[in-house]
Amino acid sequence: MASVTLGPASWSGNLRTLHVCLKKHIVSFAHFNFSLSPPVLRSLSTCRIYSQQRYPSAHGPVMPHTTVSLQKSKLLKHHSFYQRMVVSKRNKRSQFRIDDFVEHSARPKKEFDQKAATRSFYEDSDKYLTADNFLATYCSESKTNKDLDTLLAIVSDNKDVSPEILAESLSILARQPKKRISKLVQGGRLDPYLTMVSNYSKDFTDKDFVAVLVSLYTFKIPYWHQVYKALISESERRVYSWDISTMLVVSDTWRAINRIVTEYNNRMLAVIEPQYLELTHHQLVQLLYVIGENRTSPLTLMKKLEDVVLSYVDELTGKEIAAVCLGYFKSQTIISSAALLQVLGDRALERFDQLDVFSVISIFKALRHATTVHLPLFKKAAATFSPVLQDQLLVAVMNLVFTYAALHVFDKDLLDAVAEKAVLDVKQCRIKDIAKFLWTFGQLNYRPVNSDLFLDTMVKELRAHSHEFPRWPEHLVYSLVALSYLDSFPYDLINTVFSPAMLKHIKEYCPWETLRDLYVVDGAVGVECEDYTGHRLSQEFIKQLPEGGKGSVKHELAHRENLAEVLRMLEQMLGRDRCRVCLILPHFKSADIEIHLDQTNQAVVMDGPDFVPRGKNKQADIKLNKNLIDILTGTKTDSEESPGEKEEAVTEVANKDTENITRLAVQVTSFKHHHYNSHTLLGVHEMKRRQLRKLGYRVVEIPYYEWLELPRHPDTERKDYLSKKIFGQEK
């Protein structure tokens, strides 16, 4: 039997209103009974709800909390916890939530406590000032000789209690066994304490204030309780007089309570920044942990802390290195020092036996954010975790392998183990996990040993999550673009993502990168799926794509030195009118050099602009059929085009005998187009070549690792190399 008490200020209306709310929000309403305590019969001031579970052995204890307000306080959620939700009108009308008063005892316990894993570095040293060791030290210095029962009686009888006695009694109570605390909470005996804490918040000494805050965290008073309002104001007022350790333990406690105190943290960081050189080893790690958990920090402070981390890096344990890296990652701050990244990777490799998979992922996130590969560390992690991957949590496996794909690091054994794990635990996959698993294999252009089973299983599970598509449309798009890399096109899902309703959700919720990937899927369908007849992107939708989502020849020439050099040399060899840089396939951002050869293997003159802007190219809205081939080869006349297709025609070959023309698509690669330290192309670039061949182009590869080996001066060898590539192959 468990109960929830609603205080006088909580009650408004009548029992019928409360009955309707509970019946609406509780699945098994039959197991809730109402009981009115004697004061209610007289003044209707208190209502207590009793819950009797049908299967007591299947659930944990129900923990009620007394509050001064029935409705949960409206707090701004942290941006990292914000989720898009389609709120029904019924939910908008009523904001009563039984979860505010009863813990989720009926829900199964989580196997993995991410908050505890994030704080695991505290176990490496007793020099960290945390809520637990602060309370232990405070209680050992307490001067109170009264036992707990006496203190409870004094408070409950409303006798004169000094702030010092109140703080000491709370700290002693917080040190009691959890079962006893639970009974006190359920019995409502903490209510007088909470009232006094609010009244005495300005009268506590700094040490008593921290002890009270830590005690409330130990009691598991929910983060929305109004008792915290006075404590937050006091924290913000007192922060300027506290030392660094006190500021950190208070910020850490607020985070453990799960209460967002943005103003307090901003003031704390403003106080710490001028004295950052005074930070000790443990204060530095704790500060970065707190910064990461609060997701924000001044960039100037984070840059200064890089030097401090570098000075202490040899003293850091493996988990402390993970905490430092995670702090930078969560605060969205890139570690700018290449030396620091290298040293952090080296020390993590030396202390690898101290790291669990969560710690390794934390380090990898910082490396991924800085687009830095520490290859020995990645090889060590793959060799260590591949054999035991089946014993790891699925979310950990997803985060681990996602970093490899993002940094283009290929490890066959790891990917095969991941594919096996994903198939076995597919029912545990969220839609986000499915998208990232598919994107990993598509990005690295790798089909695992169980390729067919893996893809079929992932697509089947993706369909099972179709009810989540309106809420998370970006994950559907990421999944489809990854499948297109692997030459897999599930027509039903493609038709869904291009439907007007889904496009509305995508435009409303998703960043421009998602629109960019959607354009890639549309272009791939147009080239590779001749028999597809479902929804497609309209030309108007494509025109509305942001500039960052479209390719730019000028940008390519400015930022890809190899492409500019090859183009300049080909213009010298063939003439400017016989080669051009353009976007042959407008749904790809990488530019191509196009050359046309006649029957005698000579380059022919090409009329038209130097490049065709993406979005205005008619290929973007055409399926693979005779019409497309005619347009690409220039054999379709203007009279055959519909009025809506005359915005800007694809350039025509000057030679009228187009049937005897060989079209070359010269691909100048950079290291970003390949696996790390490998010659294997990534999935998106392999798909581009597949589509170019399907459209009749002969792909000519100019890989960076061959081009850079040739001497620049004299350029004879480079010209011979290009001549062999262009003219030395059979048509």
Side-chain angles (χ1 to χ4, degrees):
M1 182 75 69
S3 65
V4 179
T5 301
L6 309 181
S10 310
W11 179 248
S12 62
N14 51 46
L15 283 179
R16 180 175 179 80
T17 304
L18 185 60
H19 181 277
V20 172
C21 290
L22 290 174
K23 190 171 183 179
K24 179 178 178 180
H25 289 275
I26 299 173
V27 176
S28 183
F29 180 75
H31 305 291
F32 276 80
N33 301 316
F34 292 96
S35 170
L36 298 183
S37 57
V40 177
L41 299 178
R42 297 189 300 269
S43 62
L44 201 62
S45 60
T46 305
C47 175
R48 186 177 294 273
I49 308 169
Y50 293 92
S51 171
Q52 177 65 55
Q53 297 170 354
R54 179 182 296 178
Y55 306 106
S57 60
H59 306 285
V62 178
M63 294 287 295
H65 298 291
T66 302
T67 135
V68 296
S69 176
L70 175 64
Q71 183 177 345
K72 184 172 69 172
S73 303
K74 295 181 180 179
L75 300 176
L76 292 176
K77 289 187 177 180
H78 195 282
H79 67 80
S80 65
F81 297 113
Y82 176 75
Q83 293 183 345
R84 299 183 299 270
M85 299 187 68
V86 180
V87 183
S88 65
K89 294 182 179 179
R90 186 177 70 173
N91 288 339
K92 288 182 179 179
R93 287 196 297 265
S94 175
Q95 299 185 24
F96 179 89
R97 294 179 57 188
I98 195 65
D99 289 347
D100 295 345
F101 303 97
V102 184
E103 287 188 345
H104 304 276
S105 56
R107 299 182 183 179
K109 293 183 178 180
K110 296 182 179 180
E111 297 180 3
F112 177 68
D113 188 348
Q114 185 169 348
K115 182 182 289 187
T118 307
R119 299 165 63 90
S120 63
F121 68 93
Y122 282 145
E123 302 170 1
D124 292 347
S125 174
D126 57 359
K127 295 183 179 180
Y128 286 106
L129 187 58
T130 62
D132 294 332
N133 56 29
F134 177 88
L135 206 57
T137 304
Y138 181 87
C139 289
S140 65
E141 299 174 355
S142 176
K143 300 178 182 179
T144 301
N145 297 322
K146 298 181 178 64
D147 59 13
L148 181 60
D149 293 331
T150 304
L151 292 172
L152 287 172
I154 293 174
V155 175
S156 60
D157 293 341
N158 292 324
K159 295 183 179 180
D160 292 335
V161 178
S162 66
E164 182 181 3
I165 295 298
L166 179 61
E168 290 181 353
S169 60
L170 281 171
S171 61
I172 292 173
L173 177 58
R175 298 278 292 171
Q176 300 302 308
K178 292 184 179 180
K179 289 185 177 180
R180 185 167 188 181
I181 295 177
S182 176
K183 290 181 180 179
L184 293 172
V185 172
Q186 290 182 358
R189 300 189 67 181
L190 282 182
D191 294 353
Y193 281 93
L194 300 181
T195 303
M196 290 185 181
V197 166
S198 297
N199 295 335
Y200 291 161
S201 60
K202 296 182 179 181
D203 300 324
F204 292 119
T205 64
D206 288 342
K207 198 168 187 179
D208 290 343
F209 179 87
V210 178
V212 169
L213 180 62
V214 171
S215 299
L216 296 182
Y217 158 66
T218 307
F219 298 148
K220 299 188 183 303
I221 303 299
Y223 69 92
W224 45 264
H225 200 293
Q226 288 195 6
V227 70
Y228 291 129
K229 186 176 181 180
L231 299 181
I232 290 175
S233 299
E234 273 303 293
S235 298
E236 295 172 354
R237 185 181 68 84
R238 297 179 184 226
V239 65
Y240 298 105
S241 61
W242 286 342
D243 58 17
I244 294 178
S245 295
T246 304
M247 287 188 287
L248 290 176
V249 71
V250 170
S251 181
D252 183 43
T253 305
W254 281 123
R255 189 56 190 163
I257 292 172
N258 205 25
R259 185 69 181 255
I260 306 302
V261 286
T262 304
E263 183 61 28
Y264 170 80
N265 287 315
N266 290 340
R267 296 184 183 186
M268 177 190 71
L269 296 177
V271 173
I272 290 178
E273 185 169 1
Q275 46 185 330
Y276 76 98
L277 292 175
E278 301 175 13
L279 291 169
T280 66
H281 159 200
H282 298 93
Q283 288 174 343
L284 171 67
V285 178
Q286 189 174 20
L287 174 62
L288 285 170
Y289 161 73
V290 168
I291 287 174
E293 291 303 296
N294 290 288
R295 277 24 182 222
T296 183
S297 176
L299 183 60
T300 54
L301 175 60
M302 298 302 288
K303 297 301 181 185
K304 293 175 181 177
L305 292 181
E306 289 185 16
D307 298 330
V308 185
V309 173
L310 193 57
S311 65
Y312 284 124
V313 70
D314 291 330
E315 303 175 21
L316 300 178
T317 64
K319 290 189 176 180
E320 287 175 337
I321 293 173
V324 168
C325 291
L326 193 60
Y328 272 94
F329 174 78
K330 285 187 173 182
S331 63
Q332 294 297 300
T333 306
I334 298 175
I335 300 178
S336 58
S337 171
L340 178 57
L341 288 167
Q342 181 65 37
V343 173
L344 287 173
D346 292 341
R347 297 300 173 269
L349 185 61
E350 294 172 2
R351 299 163 174 77
F352 199 85
D353 57 333
Q354 302 175 7
L355 303 175
D356 54 15
V357 65
F358 181 82
S359 300
V360 171
I361 291 171
S362 300
I363 297 171
F364 280 4
K365 285 180 176 179
L367 294 175
R368 184 179 81 213
H369 202 205
T371 59
T372 300
V373 176
H374 192 287
L375 196 56
L377 181 61
F378 277 80
K379 289 183 177 179
K380 177 68 174 179
T384 302
F385 294 121
S386 295
V388 297
L389 209 61
Q390 307 309 317
D391 301 327
Q392 305 297 330
L393 291 174
L394 189 69
V395 65
V397 174
M398 180 270 292
N399 281 300
L400 180 70
V401 75
F402 180 75
T403 299
Y404 280 77
L407 295 177
H408 306 169
V409 180
F410 177 81
D411 188 281
K412 183 179 184 302
D413 294 337
L414 178 64
L415 291 174
D416 286 337
V418 168
E420 183 180 354
K421 171 72 173 178
V423 171
L424 291 176
D425 295 345
V426 67
K427 294 302 180 183
Q428 301 177 22
C429 284
R430 304 165 297 173
I431 186 173
K432 176 181 179 180
D433 301 328
I434 298 171
K436 288 194 173 183
F437 278 134
L438 289 172
W439 186 85
T440 294
F441 287 87
Q443 171 78 344
L444 293 176
N445 188 26
Y446 177 68
R447 285 180 171 268
V449 175
N450 61 342
S451 169
D452 294 336
L453 177 62
F454 170 73
L455 291 179
D456 291 344
T457 303
M458 290 292 105
V459 172
K460 181 179 179 181
E461 190 64 21
L462 187 63
R463 292 190 178 104
H465 286 77
S466 59
H467 61 282
E468 298 183 45
F469 291 166
R471 183 178 175 186
W472 306 110
E474 65 269 32
H475 297 317
L476 175 60
V477 177
Y478 298 153
S479 299
L480 290 177
V481 75
L483 288 168
S484 66
Y485 293 168
L486 297 170
D487 198 10
S488 177
F489 297 91
Y491 284 4
D492 58 330
L493 296 178
I494 293 172
N495 188 55
T496 299
V497 80
F498 289 139
S499 65
M502 190 60 62
L503 290 179
K504 181 180 178 181
H505 285 296
I506 292 173
K507 292 177 69 174
E508 182 176 357
Y509 292 128
C510 298
W512 69 267
E513 292 88 351
T514 306
L515 300 177
R516 164 75 214 154
D517 288 337
L518 191 67
Y519 187 28
V520 172
V521 175
D522 180 73
V525 170
V527 175
E528 302 197 57
C529 302
E530 302 179 37
D531 55 343
Y532 176 76
T533 58
H535 291 292
R536 291 283 303 280
L537 290 183
S538 65
Q539 192 68 20
E540 292 183 1
F541 188 96
I542 295 174
K543 288 180 180 179
Q544 293 174 1
L545 287 174
E547 290 301 322
K550 302 177 182 179
S552 168
V553 171
K554 293 180 180 179
H555 180 273
E556 288 280 281
L557 291 174
H559 292 84
R560 291 177 55 192
E561 184 180 357
N562 292 351
L563 177 66
E565 288 181 351
V566 171
L567 176 64
R568 184 168 57 252
M569 201 152 294
L570 285 174
E571 288 176 345
Q572 294 175 4
M573 295 168 56
L574 307 176
R576 294 194 62 179
D577 55 351
R578 287 176 168 80
C579 62
R580 64 164 175 246
V581 59
C582 60
L583 303 167
I584 298 177
L585 295 174
H587 50 283
F588 290 99
K589 296 183 71 173
S590 57
D592 319 280
I593 299 177
E594 186 174 4
I595 301 173
H596 293 177
L597 302 180
D598 61 14
Q599 284 182 308
T600 62
N601 208 25
Q602 299 297 316
V604 298
V605 176
M606 295 189 299
D607 296 331
D610 291 338
F611 66 92
V612 180
R614 187 196 302 261
K616 295 185 178 181
N617 193 327
K618 291 186 295 181
Q619 297 177 43
D621 197 34
I622 301 173
K623 302 173 186 175
L624 181 63
N625 50 28
K626 187 176 183 301
N627 182 44
L628 174 61
I629 301 299
D630 289 341
I631 292 177
L632 287 172
T633 56
T635 57
K636 184 174 181 178
T637 63
D638 290 342
S639 60
E640 296 174 333
E641 297 177 359
S642 61
E645 294 178 337
K646 291 186 177 181
E647 291 181 33
E648 198 169 312
V650 177
T651 55
E652 297 181 352
V653 181
N655 192 335
K656 296 182 180 180
D657 190 9
T658 56
E659 294 182 358
N660 297 322
I661 292 297
T662 300
R663 293 171 294 150
L664 306 185
V666 181
Q667 304 296 304
V668 183
T669 68
S670 71
F671 71 94
K672 294 181 179 180
H673 297 177
H674 300 262
H675 290 175
Y676 186 82
N677 275 4
S678 172
H679 297 167
T680 305
L681 286 169
L682 297 175
V684 61
H685 300 289
E686 186 62 39
M687 179 176 74
K688 179 181 180 181
R689 284 147 178 79
R690 186 177 71 234
Q691 293 178 8
L692 285 171
R693 294 187 185 99
K694 196 171 185 67
L695 294 177
Y697 283 87
R698 174 158 66 85
V699 177
V700 177
E701 296 285 356
I702 310 293
Y704 76 98
Y705 48 85
E706 292 181 359
W707 181 256
L708 294 179
E709 291 180 355
L710 301 174
R712 289 190 175 186
H713 302 287
D715 57 7
T716 307
E717 290 190 33
R718 288 193 167 187
K719 288 183 177 180
D720 291 343
Y721 172 83
L722 290 176
S723 180
K724 183 178 179 180
K725 285 281 187 178
I726 301 298
F727 304 110
Q729 301 177 12
E730 295 183 2
K731 298 181 183 178

